[in-house]
Amino acid sequence: MSVGLDVLMDNDLIKDLVDVAKDSALLNGVLMRTKETPNSSEVVTYAPFTLFPSPVPKDTFHQALAVQTHYNRLVDKISQDSSFLEEALSTTIKVDDFTGRLFNIYRHVLQEGKTQSIVLGLNRSDYMLDQNGDGSASLKQIEINTIAASFGGLASHTPNVHRHILKVAGRLEDSKRILDNNPSAGLAKGLAKAWELYGSERAVVLYLVEELQRNIFDHRYVENELWKRNIPVIRRQFEDVAKTGFLDQDKRLFVDGREVAIVYFRNGYMPQNYTEQNWEARLMMERSMAVKCPDISTHLAGTKKVQQELARPGVLERFFPGEPDVVDQIRATFAGLYTLDMGPEGDKTVAMALAKPDQFVLKPQREGGGNNLYGAEICQVLEGVKQSTERMAYILMDKVQPRPVHNYLLRLGTPLKLSTCLSELGVFGAYVRHGQDMVLNECAGHLLRTKSDEHSDGGVAAGVAVLDNPLLV
């Protein structure tokens, strides 16, 4: 058990600190709506967070930040390689309807010809620290999110909360170790650069959103960074685009009479986000002159199947010829990844998973948290599909085994208790390419999320994990 701070304090002090922490979260804008209703900004509480920051090894933290610009380049290179995407997803699109629908849009755009040479990527690469036999820890990527990567806004406001808690707890020196972090500004910088390149001061950034959005403040912090730069922002749903959107003769996109410079997808990553009308709206946006964040090829580059294919020997070298150091830095973060395609290799993966299910994670082609399968669930699913092409909708990954820590997880309506916790480190990336020129490529900040070890899967939005800060050790 690793403990970065002495969380086993006097109970009365802990209760006092909890009150201070909740008020500090509200004062510092670490906020979330309490209800999913269209107009509930009056019903606001603190977003869930840890009472104390969690320990993260300094070397692995800086490793995650250092490799992010390479991951930005990798995602961008994949998005431009149609033969790789065709090959990598050829089996998946036969059995996974959602990925297949996305791929149909991709093919349509390829056939018609891309109309926009500006590419904007805002992603988040998520990691856990795998415990080695000698007690050291290795950074292992869980996934990379290329669409609607969230919590950059709230993560910009959590450092001051933990600094204040530690000061009140009499830990002044520890409070100074909480890192500055401003993903809001970093993500907005990418949006602003793409908007500037689009070249119309009247054109807007369109946030494509759900009707019901508890995590509204996370959106707003990035949005406000754009308004500071006098960049106009509107928020619309798929249905609004379908109803009022159109392309002019130059394929410029207009929604509600406003020219759209950037479509920033904060929705559209799950099957339930789409009706037939919404699929048509997605196609219209992808065909348009608007910069898409992400465009359809970048969306597909973030699929689990692509993640698994990248781990094959020689694949990274395809994207980084003559750059062995970059290949080594990226490959060092890979956990074991295994195909479930039909054939001897996939059969071997099935047998391996059924023999030792607790050592693996079964991952479908889904985003949004709460979709992965563990332990007995793996056996249940694979026993049902092991002889069927349906198994090709999944990949198998080694289960990362992080070292647990103790902390208090503060969530509205949840009794206070000391929990055994696991943390996941996310690193935000922002890049802009104009034609063949990468004009922006940056690490945009970090995010630490922590959950009780009672839960195998799920993020903050799913009600499982909470926001945290790294305390480097």
Side-chain angles (χ1 to χ4, degrees), residues 36-89:
E36 289 191 348
T37 57
N39 297 299
S40 62
S41 289
E42 308 88 5
V43 192
V44 171
T45 186
Y46 56 90
F49 66 104
T50 58
L51 181 59
F52 298 107
S54 294
V56 174
K58 185 182 299 184
D59 290 347
T60 48
F61 176 81
H62 289 298
Q63 178 191 358
L65 267 57
V67 77
Q68 184 57 42
T69 54
H70 300 325
Y71 266 114
N72 291 345
R73 290 176 60 209
L74 177 59
V75 170
D76 186 52
K77 287 173 180 287
I78 293 167
S79 74
Q80 298 177 72
D81 194 331
S82 57
S83 60
F84 175 78
L85 283 173
E86 283 272 1
E87 184 180 349
L89 295 171

Side-chain angles (χ1 to χ4, degrees), residues 26 31-46 213-214 216-217 412:
L26 293 170
L31 304 173
M32 186 174 280
R33 286 176 173 171
T34 58
K35 298 178 182 177
E36 289 191 348
T37 57
N39 297 299
S40 62
S41 289
E42 308 88 5
V43 192
V44 171
T45 186
Y46 56 90
Q213 182 55 255
R214 287 190 67 203
I216 183 71
F217 298 97
L412 185 68

Side-chain angles (χ1 to χ4, degrees), residues 100-118:
R101 292 295 295 265
L102 293 172
F103 208 87
N104 286 343
I105 292 176
Y106 173 62
R107 283 177 171 156
H108 186 122
V109 172
L110 271 186
Q111 186 173 7
E112 188 174 286
K114 288 193 173 185
T115 57
Q116 180 53 266
S117 62
I118 304 166

Side-chain angles (χ1 to χ4, degrees), residues 259-334:
E259 182 180 356
V260 177
I262 300 173
V263 179
Y264 181 21
F265 287 94
R266 294 300 301 254
N267 189 20
Y269 51 87
M270 296 188 289
Q272 55 266 40
N273 300 148
Y274 290 89
T275 62
E276 283 304 314
Q277 184 185 56
N278 292 0
W279 281 116
E280 291 173 11
R282 177 73 187 262
L283 176 60
M284 178 176 66
M285 290 184 281
E286 295 292 343
R287 293 179 59 235
S288 77
M289 276 287 291
V291 179
K292 279 72 65 175
C293 183
D295 61 18
I296 191 69
S297 59
T298 306
H299 187 168
L300 290 168
T303 55
K304 305 299 186 293
K305 183 60 179 175
V306 166
Q307 181 187 15
Q308 178 256 304
E309 289 293 319
L310 289 173
R312 289 188 181 279
V315 175
L316 285 179
E317 286 82 356
R318 167 180 179 160
F319 293 108
F320 295 101
E323 297 187 73
D325 289 347
V326 172
V327 169
D328 289 346
Q329 287 180 58
I330 295 174
R331 186 168 284 143
T333 67
F334 286 174

